[in-house]
């Protein structure tokens, strides 16, 4: 089993903007809770900071739904930022940054081609994966049916601020590396893990370091105002687009064709009566 | 061209202005501001021509969304819009789009106090999860920095802090209600 320690994570890591501080835990309730409790006392020099755990007893996703992974089989972390430089209206870019970085980090290390279910669920196709050792010559295989995708990682952003400024933002990520969630956990979607998808063991440390490099890249891009570049990349990874989907929103269930995303990141759905709905939050069902 | 926007002596020569006006005539643009160095050109259509209507089928549901301005970032959106991407129509600004102020023009019967508005489009939640009690009730006393609600969009849970201390005198939105950018959420009366 590979060990996740600050020393191992940082050894020769060619990043410039993050992480500036790392905390590794054997077991916590949730790295999000640890991060939230710590962010008030974090100095600016420590941020962005990475908080990791081998195991969580109360891992959570959107709306505090449970996120469960067997100990030391997943990457469970929170990235803590205080992005005062980012206008609060541009906060969705932090979600895009994390989602794109996870996809690209996995791709760079394994040759797999994760895609995103709007807005930020990371999925892998069930079709036979491209082995990491073989240079990718062709386009990745894409399943015809959306039901042929399985979730490999989830991303969550919790932030706090006034109506004018972001105070802090914490990006949470759970990535299945060598095991799926326990079978007795009732899930709303099909899952897989990196080792299973690749057909060989994958080291968590290598994936994490790859992912941090992509996070660093996009964090710097964002700081330099390249939000359009990030948006375009995120949009290009959305496998939801071009498919008929069902989306569960606070206002009810909507069925239609996922046409595109708005510049805000909201999903544009055209229903059977040709009415276009702009959806900013909800669960997409494939 | 006798005078162009690149003209060294006169940034906005009469010819350039004429060209701009013609361009504006041909489009739906109602207002344009160009800054070059120390020169500024501000063209605004008089008589407040009605804003262009949205395409017939565009969003009439409560999930409607507008794109708030991302001020502070150098993002000339039209110029950088990705290929194949149609920028959201600049139609019907949301009812509260211009109000970052202390009062909400559309809510003239609001009690006096500090109006907390939504920083983004999304879904409003009164509590951290369906199992938890609401952050605040009407009549509660709050302190600056307290979380008073959550606006969620794209799995982004944005906890709204109050900038002022006081008493919650009016809650203006319900749990799980869609909210617009700038929409008043509650009124806090300073104590």
């Amino acid at each position: 089993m590979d060990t996740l320690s600050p020393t191992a994570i940082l050894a020769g890591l060619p990043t410039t903007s993050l992480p500036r501080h790392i905390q590794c835990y054997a077991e916590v309730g949730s790295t999000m809770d640890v991060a939230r409790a710590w962010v008030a006392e974090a100095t600016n020099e420590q941020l962005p900071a990475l908080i990791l755990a081998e195991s969580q007893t109360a891992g959570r996703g959107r709306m505090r739904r449970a996120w469960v992974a067997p100990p030391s089989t997943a990457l469970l972390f929170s990235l803590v930022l205080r992005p005062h430089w980012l206008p609060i209206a541009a906060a969705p870019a932090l979600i895009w940054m994390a989602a794109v970085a996870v996809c690209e980090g996995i791709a760079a290390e394994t040759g797999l081609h994760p895609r995103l279910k709007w807005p930020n669920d990371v999925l892998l196709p069930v079709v036979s994966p491209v082995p990491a050792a073989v240079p990718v010559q062709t386009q990745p295989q894409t399943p015809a049916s959306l039901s042929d995708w399985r979730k490999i990682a989830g991303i969550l952003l919790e932030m706090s601020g006034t109506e004018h400024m972001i105070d802090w933002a914490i990006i949470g990520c759970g990535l299945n590396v060598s095991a799926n969630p326990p079978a007795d956990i009732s899930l709303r979607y099909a899952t897989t893990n990196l080792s299973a998808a690749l057909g060989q063991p994958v080291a968590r440390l290598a994936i994490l370091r790859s992912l941090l490099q992509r996070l660093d890249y996009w964090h710097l891009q964002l700081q330099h105002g390249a939000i359009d570049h990030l948006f375009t990349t995120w949009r290009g990874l959305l496998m939801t687009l071009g498919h008929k989907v069902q989306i569960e929103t606070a206002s009810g269930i909507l069925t239609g064709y996922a046409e595109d995303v708005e510049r805000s990141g909201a999903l544009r759905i055209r229903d059977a009566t040709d009415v276009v709905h702009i959806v900013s939050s909800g669960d997409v069902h494939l | 061209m006798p005078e162009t926007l690149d003209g060294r002596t006169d940034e906005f020569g009469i010819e350039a202005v004429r060209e701009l006006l013609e361009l504006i005539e041909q489009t739906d643009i109602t207002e344009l501001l160009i800054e070059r160095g120390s020169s500024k050109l501000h063209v605004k259509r008089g008589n407040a021509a009605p804003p262009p209507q949205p395409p017939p089928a565009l969003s009439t549901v409560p999930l409607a969304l507008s794109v708030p301005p991302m001020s502070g970032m150098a993002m000339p959106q039209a110029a950088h819009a990705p290929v194949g991407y149609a920028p959201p129509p600049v139609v019907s600004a949301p009812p509260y789009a211009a109000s970052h102020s202390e009062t909400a023009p559309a809510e003239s019967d609001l009690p006096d106090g500090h109006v907390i508005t939504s920083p983004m489009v999304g879904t409003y939640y009164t509590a951290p999860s369906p199992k938890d009690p609401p952050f605040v009730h009407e009549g509660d006393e709050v302190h600056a920095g307290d979380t008073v609600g959550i606006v969620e969009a794209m799995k982004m849970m944005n906890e709204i802090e109050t900038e002022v201390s006081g008493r919650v005198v009016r809650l203006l939105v319900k749990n799980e209600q869609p909210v617009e950018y700038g929409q008043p959420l509650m009124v806090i009366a300073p104590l």
Side-chain angles (χ1 to χ4, degrees), chain A residues 140-164:
Chain A
Q141 299 176 64
T142 305
S145 163
L146 291 188
S147 59
D148 292 337
W149 294 83
R150 292 186 181 171
K151 183 163 170 172
I152 193 145
I155 294 163
L156 173 73
L157 177 72
E158 293 181 357
M159 55 186 271
S160 182
T162 65
E163 60 237 75
H164 305 119

Side-chain angles (χ1 to χ4, degrees), chain A residues 73-221:
Chain A
T73 65
L75 285 172
L76 307 168
F77 64 86
S78 294
L79 186 72
V80 186
L81 307 108
R82 214 177 268 148
H84 292 166
W85 43 271
L86 189 68
I88 196 158
L94 295 172
I95 281 280
W96 307 338
M97 173 180 91
V100 168
V102 169
C103 286
E104 292 181 346
I106 291 171
E109 191 59 29
T110 66
L112 295 169
H113 293 278
R115 300 282 298 278
L116 297 169
K117 177 165 78 78
W118 181 89
N120 56 9
D121 277 351
V122 185
L123 310 186
L124 278 173
V126 178
V127 291
S128 55
V130 181
V134 178
V136 180
Q137 300 288 345
T138 57
Q139 285 290 93
Q141 299 176 64
T142 305
S145 163
L146 291 188
S147 59
D148 292 337
W149 294 83
R150 292 186 181 171
K151 183 163 170 172
I152 193 145
I155 294 163
L156 173 73
L157 177 72
E158 293 181 357
M159 55 186 271
S160 182
T162 65
E163 60 237 75
H164 305 119
M165 191 180 94
I166 299 175
D167 185 0
W168 50 257
I170 302 173
I171 298 167
C173 179
L175 168 58
N176 303 329
V177 178
S178 59
N180 290 0
D184 59 341
I185 301 293
S186 160
L187 291 175
R188 301 152 61 95
Y189 43 78
T191 60
T192 187
N193 65 80
L194 278 186
S195 301
L198 195 62
Q200 64 186 62
V202 174
R204 289 184 306 158
L205 182 61
I207 295 294
L208 177 62
R209 286 166 54 90
S210 177
L211 207 151
L212 286 172
Q213 288 174 64
R214 298 315 298 163
L215 271 174
D216 178 56
Y217 171 80
W218 285 111
H219 182 244
L220 287 170
Q221 289 284 312

Side-chain angles (χ1 to χ4, degrees), chain B residues 130-156:
Chain B
K131 294 171 192 162
D132 294 310
F135 291 108
V136 290
H137 299 91
E138 285 185 1
D140 284 357
E141 195 176 321
V142 293
H143 299 98
D146 285 355
T147 299
V148 294
I150 291 178
V151 177
E152 190 239 344
M154 291 168 275
K155 291 195 188 175
M156 190 171 70

Side-chain angles (χ1 to χ4, degrees), chain B residues 91-187:
Chain B
V91 293
S92 55
Y96 308 104
S99 99
H100 248 322
S101 59
E102 299 291 297
T103 55
E107 308 269 356
S108 54
D109 58 343
L110 283 184
D112 288 342
H114 175 79
V115 179
I116 298 180
T117 60
S118 176
M120 60 188 197
V121 175
T123 303
Y124 182 76
Y125 294 101
T126 54
S129 82
K131 294 171 192 162
D132 294 310
F135 291 108
V136 290
H137 299 91
E138 285 185 1
D140 284 357
E141 195 176 321
V142 293
H143 299 98
D146 285 355
T147 299
V148 294
I150 291 178
V151 177
E152 190 239 344
M154 291 168 275
K155 291 195 188 175
M156 190 171 70
M157 312 300 288
N158 187 359
E159 299 180 10
I160 311 299
E161 293 172 9
T162 173
E163 287 176 332
V164 301
S165 300
R167 192 174 297 285
V168 180
V169 289
R170 184 75 59 86
L171 295 175
L172 300 163
V173 285
K174 295 187 173 67
N175 190 42
E176 298 195 350
Q177 183 179 323
V179 291
E180 298 287 341
Y181 168 72
Q183 180 170 343
L185 302 174
M186 64 186 68
V187 184

Side-chain angles (χ1 to χ4, degrees), chain A residues 36 121 160 227 263 278 281, chain B residues 63 75 85 123 155 161:
Chain A
R36 292 173 65 106
D121 277 351
S160 182
I227 194 168
R263 183 59 181 73
I278 308 298
S281 59
Chain B
L63 303 165
M75 289 185 297
Y85 165 68
T123 303
K155 291 195 188 175
E161 293 172 9

